[in-house]
Amino acid sequence: MRLITAIIKPFKLDDVKAALEQFGVKGMTVSEASGYGRQRGHTEVYRGAEYQVDLVPKVRLEVLAEEDDTEDVIDVIVKAAHTGKIGDGKVWSVPVDTVIRVRTGERGPEAL
């Protein structure tokens, strides 16, 4: 099993969520995040004054997937989140040793 984590632009969340649901993903965790990558933030103008925004608002999406589905889920996320502009985000996966559904005590793939 793998934990797939994606950092995406907030306005792409609905597209990514719909694509994952269509693929068959049954659950996900979404949280607000902020940070920067190579662009190091951006400059904005407010009431005539220019200021630097160091931390850009993002969304962090986490999905548990079977080992066999990992690459497909990553592809779905990347295609749905893609805009072609700087700051589209990152996706990565890490191995998960144990998953337990708290309500029933089920373990492993049954806990998904």
Side-chain angles (χ1 to χ4, degrees):
M1 217 169 311
R2 310 279 298 179
L3 174 64
I4 300 165
T5 305
I7 305 295
I8 61 172
K9 291 182 175 183
F11 70 88
K12 294 302 281 183
L13 176 60
D14 288 337
D15 295 341
V16 172
K17 192 172 125 186
L20 287 171
E21 287 172 355
Q22 186 174 5
F23 179 76
V25 171
K26 296 195 179 8
M28 64 185 75
T29 300
V30 177
S31 51
E32 293 181 15
S34 59
Y36 64 87
R38 290 183 182 165
Q39 80 271 17
R40 301 272 186 218
H42 63 277
T43 304
E44 289 189 4
V45 177
Y46 179 71
R47 293 188 177 195
E50 191 173 290
Y51 65 98
Q52 182 71 21
V53 176
D54 294 330
L55 299 175
V56 179
K58 299 287 184 179
V59 170
R60 180 182 178 117
L61 178 77
E62 295 172 306
V63 176
L64 279 173
E66 294 280 351
E67 199 76 37
D68 296 342
D69 293 335
T70 301
E71 287 303 317
D72 292 333
V73 171
I74 289 172
D75 288 343
V76 166
I77 293 170
V78 169
K79 286 176 186 165
H82 177 80
T83 67
K85 296 194 168 63
I86 194 163
D88 271 355
K90 298 272 190 289
V91 182
W92 64 90
S93 72
V94 294
V96 174
D97 294 330
T98 305
V99 176
I100 303 166
R101 180 172 299 172
V102 175
R103 179 177 54 86
T104 62
E106 294 171 300
R107 293 174 175 264
E110 295 80 31
L112 292 180

